[in-house]
Amino acid sequence: RESALEQADEEEEKKLFQNKAKQKKAASHAVTKSVANSDAGATVKQQKKKKEVDETVNRRTVFVGNLPVNCTVQALKSRFKEYGQIKSIRFRSLVPAEDTLSKKVAAIKHKVHPNAKFVNAYVVFKEECDAIKALKENGTEIATGFHIRVDIASKNSSHDNKRSVFLGNLSYDISDDAVREHFSVCGGVVAVRIVRDRKTGLGKGFGYVLFENTDAVHLALKLNNSVLMGRKIRVKRCGEKWKTPQKRPDQPRAPKDRGDTMLKKKRCSSDSFVGEKAIPLKKSTKPKRLKAIPKKQAGKNK
């Protein structure tokens, strides 16, 4: 009896020890989970703050496009300093003269590919109101044949599709000013944007034109299929889809080849339902027995 009581006490102690260990493990797991959740929450907050900071910087930043390759930081600073204090200027869309050079080094050393004709830049102001003032420089001719495009770098900046047209089938080496000159007969051109390849700087064959009013868009649509730099360009409103040309009902059909029609008939006949075929009877391999001829008939045959 005493040994049974001792054994029961030992089992109780073991159970108590196991329960304590489980409680400690659960507490440590809860602590690690709370730490992980707090870290995740901190990272999310940091990302949100970073996005907010980036957006505020973008609202103070001005994008300047269609600059000549030989444009310097000093020349750009002297152009925009009258609108407010400038914090930084950085060039983009540079095509390095050598593959081994990075774009940053090429911008610092001004080692640009000889076929490159233009560069883009970002001008960061100290105040947001100064960036808005700098938009007055949009469309000004900074050099012969280079009308710059100035716009706020913020993603929230809206683009008016009603005053814009989409251009297709453009030449790959076309310049912004060539497009501007082609559409200047329609009305005042606010900005021209040719979509280009980041690595080569060549155009991708399409772009956009923003006009001062919607009346110019109606005139620009009439320039659809007009020739620009030896190519028939496509002009349509922004947001519209291209319609596939429909066949005319009075258009004569091309004569079909007789051989093709016969092949089609054969294919149709082979593909059509034939029905279940009867299973052929198996030929027996056993030798046939000779019929027994009666004696009377055998004598007559002789």
Side-chain angles (χ1 to χ4, degrees), residues 199-235:
K199 293 181 180 179
T200 60
L202 292 171
K204 292 186 176 182
F206 63 96
Y208 303 89
V209 181
L210 176 65
F211 293 99
E212 289 179 357
N213 50 45
T214 54
D215 295 335
V217 173
H218 295 291
L219 296 172
L221 293 172
K222 292 179 181 180
L223 291 178
N224 186 35
N225 290 325
S226 61
V227 180
L228 177 59
M229 290 185 68
R231 299 191 114 185
K232 282 187 177 183
I233 61 170
R234 297 193 300 270
V235 185

Side-chain angles (χ1 to χ4, degrees), residues 69 92-99 101-103 106-107 110-119 197-202:
V69 178
R92 289 290 181 269
S93 307
L94 278 165
V95 183
E98 300 172 2
D99 295 336
L101 288 172
S102 64
K103 289 185 178 182
H110 261 279
K111 289 187 176 181
V112 188
H113 198 274
N115 293 335
K117 297 175 183 177
F118 73 97
V119 290
D197 187 68
R198 291 182 179 180
K199 293 181 180 179
T200 60
L202 292 171

Side-chain angles (χ1 to χ4, degrees), residues 251-285:
Q251 192 175 1
R253 292 183 179 179
K256 292 182 179 179
D257 191 7
R258 194 172 180 181
D260 294 342
T261 54
M262 292 296 288
L263 282 168
K264 282 181 181 178
K265 282 180 182 178
K266 283 182 181 178
R267 283 173 189 169
C268 291
S269 62
S270 62
D271 293 338
S272 59
F273 181 76
V274 177
E276 293 184 1
K277 292 181 180 179
I279 299 166
L281 295 169
K282 291 182 180 180
K283 292 181 179 180
S284 60
T285 54

